[in-house]
Every structure is written in C-alpha cells, then in structure tokens.
Amino acid sequence: MHKHQILATTMLLIGNIIGVSAAPPTSNLETRNASLKCWYGSDFPSEQDWLSFDTLFEKWRPQFKTQGDTDDELNTMKEALRSYSQQGGFNPALTTAMMIQESAGNTCRVCGDGGVSCGLLQVRGAPKDCENKTHPCPESSIRKGIQCGTVGCGVEGSNIKNCAASQGKKWGEVLRCYNSGTVKDPSNLRVASPGDPRYVHLIANILLGADYANLGELGGGKCGF
C-alpha cells in the first residue's frame, strides 16, 4: 500500500496535497499536446488512445538516461515491464506510465513510505540494494522490483494484478487502488487518503503523451490541484 504522496522529482510537482476542492467539468488543457486534459471524477482515457508501450518507453528513454540509467539497465527494465505486465494480463504501457510517476524510471530511486516501498514501482518487497547508489543497478534487482509491483512477490501490499482483479480492470480505479490501497470513491478518483490526488490524472496524461515539460502544469492549479 502506498501511504505517501508520489512526488517524482523530475516532474516538477510541488508540495503535499491534503485536500481537493470541487472540480469543474472536464476541459482541455492548453498545452502543446491537444490530447492532454484535466481529468475529473471517474474519467480515464480509453486504452485505444494510449501510446503504445514501445512508443511510450522510447519517448522517455532520454529522460531516464539523464538520471544515470544506463542502456543495459533500460533494456532490462523494458523487457521486465513487458514480460511481467503480459504475465499479469495488462498493457505494459500502463505499468510504464506508473513507473514514470512512481520513480521517474530511476533504478536507484530512494525508497518511499519510510523506506519500505522501493524500486521502480515503489512497492513493498522490492529490493532496496540500489537505493540512492551509483548506477548500474543489478539486473536481478530491477526485475524483482518490477515483479513485486506488477504480479506480486509474496509480500503484503498493493500490486497491479491484485488491483486489476479487485477493480474489474477499470484502469483509473486500478491506479487509485495501487496508490492508496483502496478506492474510497469510484466516482471521484481524486479522493486519496492516503495517496496523491493527482496520481490517476497524471498517469492518464502520461499515457496520452505528456512529457517532462507538460507535467508541472498538469499537476498544478490549472487542473484544480
């Protein structure tokens, strides 16, 4: 269960959000990408509108490398995202977008939740041997962390497969389940206690093509945060 608010440093998302005011109707965000928007209520983009896994991962590869990720690490990461997502029965693009929000794709990301949620998907059970260390992170640690977050690794806590099963593959609700451990209000996926109210909204936009430059605006006042 993710009891912290995910604040990926590469995303320029500032401050802890403790409450969300009433939201206006869904409206287009005036960004360079017309498909990006402010997501409210239970709205979430159709899977047919997501970037493909390969397109999404390669779009972000240069950003991952600025943090120190090596090509070998990234190739291991990409293969593990694909294989474990397929094992769990969901699109690896979803897992990749979650990874971007959780850790910004940094294999040496600091663990969250007081040091218990680690790895690329910031999840319980993931190895912490690479935390805040010098790259590269061992292949086994990268793969184990992705396994724990996707299909589970025998440790109590949320993983994508369990959340997909409990939420009927309603992907917005799956994300809220993963971030908060529960879905308190399926009609308003910004309700997050614990968790980050922006979580579902930001991942929706990452799946639609949001980049580093878009995410600060998307996570701010223009979208009601």
Side-chain angles (χ1 to χ4, degrees):
M1 182 183 297
H2 297 257
K3 295 185 178 179
H4 64 302
Q5 296 184 331
I6 309 298
L7 301 175
T9 56
T10 61
M11 295 181 178
L12 304 180
L13 303 179
I14 303 172
N16 292 327
I17 308 300
I18 58 174
V20 181
S21 57
T26 303
S27 60
N28 288 332
L29 185 71
E30 295 175 1
T31 65
R32 292 167 294 170
N33 187 334
S35 68
L36 306 183
K37 56 169 51 175
C38 304
W39 295 90
Y40 298 104
S42 61
D43 288 345
F44 196 77
S46 169
E47 188 169 351
Q48 68 184 11
D49 295 327
W50 302 355
L51 297 184
S52 71
F53 167 59
D54 284 320
T55 298
L56 179 61
F57 190 93
E58 295 306 326
K59 173 185 176 67
W60 280 84
R61 183 185 285 264
Q63 179 63 38
F64 299 154
K65 293 182 75 170
T66 67
Q67 304 171 119
D69 289 345
T70 67
D71 281 322
D72 284 345
E73 285 179 295
L74 291 171
N75 292 338
T76 295
M77 184 192 305
K78 186 175 183 181
E79 190 281 325
L81 287 166
R82 187 193 305 276
S83 61
Y84 284 118
S85 297
Q86 290 175 342
Q87 182 180 329
F90 40 86
N91 191 330
L94 180 74
T95 314
T96 302
M98 293 172 70
M99 178 190 73
I100 291 167
Q101 177 63 13
E102 290 283 351
S103 67
N106 187 346
T107 61
C108 296
R109 180 77 175 183
V110 173
C111 299
D113 293 344
V116 298
S117 296
C118 301
L120 289 164
L121 290 167
Q122 293 286 283
V123 66
R124 294 173 186 267
K128 61 189 306 180
D129 55 312
C130 297
E131 181 185 19
N132 212 24
K133 300 289 181 61
T134 301
H135 297 264
C137 182
E139 177 179 347
S140 59
S141 296
I142 294 172
R143 291 185 59 83
K144 183 70 171 182
I146 293 173
Q147 177 193 356
C148 291
T150 51
V151 298
C153 55
V155 177
E156 182 179 357
S158 300
N159 60 64
I160 303 172
K161 183 178 180 180
N162 285 347
C163 286
S166 66
Q167 304 305 320
K169 293 192 175 182
K170 298 175 182 177
W171 299 119
E173 293 176 29
V174 169
L175 295 175
R176 174 51 55 217
C177 168
Y178 188 89
N179 179 237
S180 297
T182 186
V183 181
K184 292 188 175 181
D185 185 356
S187 69
N188 183 2
L189 297 176
R190 294 186 176 205
V191 175
S193 180
D196 183 349
R198 300 163 298 184
Y199 192 81
V200 177
H201 157 77
L202 288 172
I203 292 175
N205 281 295
I206 291 169
L207 285 165
L208 295 176
D211 57 23
Y212 176 85
N214 298 133
L215 291 172
E217 184 179 11
L218 285 163
K222 193 163 188 176
C223 285
F225 295 105

